[in-house]
Structures are given as C-alpha cells and as structure tokens.
Amino acid sequence: MENWLSAERLHLLFFNHTFWINSLVVVLGTLIIWWLLHNIIRFVSNRIAHYSEQRHLRITGIVVEILRSTSQLLLLIFSLLITLKFIDLPPSWSVAIAHGWFLALILQLTLWLDCGIRLWLHSLLRDPLHVRNPVTTVILGILLRMVVWVMMLLAILSNMGIDITALVASLGVGGIAIALAIQTVLSDVFASLAIGFDKPFEHGDFIVFGDIAGSIEHIGLKTTRLRSLGGEQIVCSNTILLQQTIHNYKRMQQRRIVFKFGVHYDTPAEKVRQIGEQVKGIIEGVPNTRFDRAHFLAFDESQLTFEVVYFVLSADYNTYMDIQQEINLQIMAALEQQQIRFGFPMRHVTFTGGVLPRINLAEDASSTAAQH
C-alpha cells in the first residue's frame, strides 16, 4: 500500500506541469541573475580601477581587489535565493530561505573583510616611504583575521538558534587560563606589537640603552637582535627593551658638540680676548657646522679654560669626528701663529727648613758608567 502511494506521488510529480515550469524558472532565473550580478560587479570594479589609476589611490585599488575576489559560488547562491522569490513555495520554506540569505551574506562579508585585511597589510609592507616590521604586521594580520572569522562563526550559531552565551563564557575562561600560562611570551608579543605601532626604533637604527649600544638587525616576535660595535650579536627581550630609556642616534638630525681647551697662564689678556673670535671664525669656515658660542670659561689649576659649543648638521659619527679633527688642527695652527701655548699641568715645589744638597750631574753620570 505504501509503495503504491509513493509511486502515485512520483507519477503526479512527474506529470505536474507547475513543478516543471517552476524548475525551469528557477534554473533560467538563477543563471540570468548570476550573469547580471557578475557583470555589475565587473563593471563597478573596472570603473573603480580606472579611477584609481588616474588618482593613484591605494585604498581604491584595495576595493577593486576585494570586489574581484567575490565568491562565484556564493554569487550563484544569491541568484538562486533571489529567483525563489518569484515562485510560490510552501510556508515552511521561508525560514530555510531566511537562514540561507543570512549564511550567504555573512560568509561573503567575512571573505571580503579577510581579503581586505590581507591586501591592506600587504600594501603596508610594500610601502617604500615607511619601512615596517614584517613580524608585527603578520601578527596584526593573524589577530584581525581571527577576530573576523570568530565573529562570523558566532553570528552563524546565533542565527541558527544556538545559545552562544555559554560558549563565549567558556572561550573567555579558556583564554584567561592560556594567557596566565604563557604570560611571559604574550608580554613579549604585545611588546613587539607596541614596537611596530609606536616605532621607537626600526631596522637599521643605532640605539643605546643602559650599557648596550648597537644597530637593530631584527625585531622578532619575542626578542630584538642588535649588532654591537664590537661585532657580537646582542639578543634582548622585547618587554625588557621597552622598559629601558632608549637613545636612538639614527633619528638625530644634528649633533650638539661641547669641548674645552686651555691656554697657558702666561698668555696676555688681549690675546685671550681674541681667542673666542678666532675659534668662531674657524668653526664657521668648516662645512656642515653651525657655531653657537666660544667663551673664556674659568681659571683652572693649570690653564685658562675655554668652552666651545657648536652643532654638526649631520647624525653620522664619522662626519662629526672629521669635523672635530679639522677644528682642532686649525685651533692649533692659529695659536701657534700667535705664539700662544696650550696649558698643561705644572707643579712648583718650594723647599723650606734647610739647604738642598748640591748635586753634580757630571760626577753621577761618570760613576754610573764606571759601574757598567
């Protein structure tokens, strides 16, 4: 009896003209709508690409790539769901179609966001004007993409009627437990992100912190590696590194130089008065410098001390040393020309309370020679 009824239903369905007409409408409508949607997306993306080439805008290029990455399968599903609106369906199908709309839409939005994040981070790494840390960029991309896909999954589960409160609470408790277990590693990871965003230093910068000085070779997920002046590699934790006061000499636009020299106490006051102006002329005549001041500073123990301040208009240390050497040599030549001697330590010893014995240097020299 049941087999007869099933066969009768199949016979009625097979010879039901409405069923075949609806099926034909669905197939043809789906293909036509898919073709229209595909061409609309291609037309819009081509127009945006043409505008982007004229304006040289990076963001519009990313939008073009996002549109061109549209899933053709999901586009076909959208076309099918649109076509189903034109035929009569049982009321029980409305809930399934509504879920289908939501699933297809949320999945396509997630794919667009994922593609946009990847293209944006890739454009950051290719930016010639700003050199970014690739490790930090990769970490940021992974975190953003994880957030997007987790939010998509939770939205789908919530749309299907599943209570996600307990799931979110479990994820929170599990995340806290994992964070406590690997808090040292996580602190270094977030320190690496902080270095990438705040940029206290970048690859190739010469930094000094504490008693360590060196050039940045690599900024990693957990550590930063430097090459010291002695040649050895220094590996430092990112967290510990950010806790230090860092001197970044690569970003120094100019170098303030303070140096002193002294002349002999026998130098007349009139010549001492002229030394400052002579030093000013010497420094102003050396390229890549800006003179600040030169003063007779103090009466020190063995010299009349001058203090000189000037700026080297370059951060390169070798350039500074070449300039300082040239200034020193010209100061020596100028003082020699005026017969001014440099000051040097001197001691005057006074013997009181008796008579010094006479010393015959010739006799002492002859006796020493006879002994040998």
Side-chain angles (χ1 to χ4, degrees), residues 158-318:
S158 177
N159 182 261
M160 294 175 63
I162 300 175
D163 186 9
I164 63 173
T165 306
L167 177 61
V168 173
S170 301
L171 290 175
V173 173
I176 293 173
I178 295 173
L180 291 175
I182 58 172
Q183 56 182 339
T184 303
V185 177
L186 286 179
S187 63
D188 288 326
V189 171
F190 284 108
S192 176
L193 289 175
I195 292 172
F197 286 120
D198 193 45
K199 295 182 177 61
F201 50 82
E202 295 177 343
H203 184 272
D205 289 1
F206 184 85
I207 65 172
V208 175
F209 60 96
D211 58 347
I212 297 175
S215 299
I216 301 295
E217 281 194 339
H218 177 72
I219 303 173
L221 187 64
K222 189 178 186 302
T223 61
T224 295
R225 294 190 279 275
L226 302 88
R227 183 68 59 180
S228 72
L229 295 175
E232 71 273 15
Q233 188 181 70
I234 301 173
V235 181
C236 183
S237 169
N238 290 330
T239 304
I240 297 176
L241 184 58
L242 287 185
Q243 293 173 355
Q244 307 288 327
T245 300
I246 300 173
H247 302 265
N248 193 332
Y249 287 91
K250 181 68 176 295
R251 299 179 184 177
M252 182 172 56
Q253 297 179 352
Q254 60 183 12
R255 189 185 294 268
R256 184 176 183 268
I257 307 300
V258 180
F259 72 96
K260 298 178 181 179
F261 68 93
V263 298
H264 200 274
Y265 266 96
D266 293 341
T267 307
E270 189 59 32
K271 289 187 177 181
V272 172
R273 185 182 298 274
Q274 298 173 2
I275 291 176
E277 289 298 324
Q278 291 176 343
V279 172
K280 177 181 178 181
I282 290 172
I283 294 177
E284 289 179 345
V286 177
N288 291 327
T289 60
R290 188 177 76 250
F291 177 78
D292 186 18
R293 61 182 178 85
H295 292 97
F296 173 30
L297 178 64
F299 297 93
D300 284 334
E301 184 177 357
S302 302
Q303 64 182 14
L304 304 175
T305 302
F306 282 82
E307 183 178 69
V308 181
V309 180
Y310 71 98
F311 291 90
V312 177
L313 305 181
S314 173
D316 184 65
Y317 187 79
N318 290 334

Side-chain angles (χ1 to χ4, degrees), residues 63-128:
V63 173
V64 170
E65 293 299 327
I66 291 175
L67 289 176
R68 290 176 177 174
S69 68
T70 303
S71 173
Q72 297 302 312
L73 177 61
L74 291 176
L75 200 63
L76 190 64
I77 294 174
F78 280 123
S79 304
L80 174 62
L81 293 174
I82 293 173
T83 307
L84 292 177
K85 295 288 185 179
F86 297 99
I87 62 174
D88 294 329
L89 294 174
S92 59
W93 282 50
S94 60
V95 177
I97 292 175
H99 284 304
W101 271 108
F102 180 82
L103 292 176
L105 182 62
I106 194 68
L107 185 57
Q108 184 59 68
L109 288 176
T110 304
L111 291 174
W112 278 340
L113 287 174
D114 183 84
C115 179
I117 291 171
R118 288 187 286 105
L119 292 173
W120 174 61
L121 295 176
H122 185 63
S123 66
L124 291 180
L125 290 176
R126 295 178 57 187
D127 189 356

Side-chain angles (χ1 to χ4, degrees), residues 297-343:
L297 178 64
F299 297 93
D300 284 334
E301 184 177 357
S302 302
Q303 64 182 14
L304 304 175
T305 302
F306 282 82
E307 183 178 69
V308 181
V309 180
Y310 71 98
F311 291 90
V312 177
L313 305 181
S314 173
D316 184 65
Y317 187 79
N318 290 334
T319 301
Y320 151 63
M321 289 303 299
D322 292 339
I323 290 174
Q324 185 64 56
Q325 175 179 261
E326 181 62 25
I327 292 173
N328 292 340
L329 292 173
Q330 291 193 31
I331 290 176
M332 288 182 64
L335 295 181
E336 288 178 1
Q337 187 177 3
Q338 294 191 359
Q339 297 180 349
I340 298 175
R341 295 184 298 164
F342 283 100

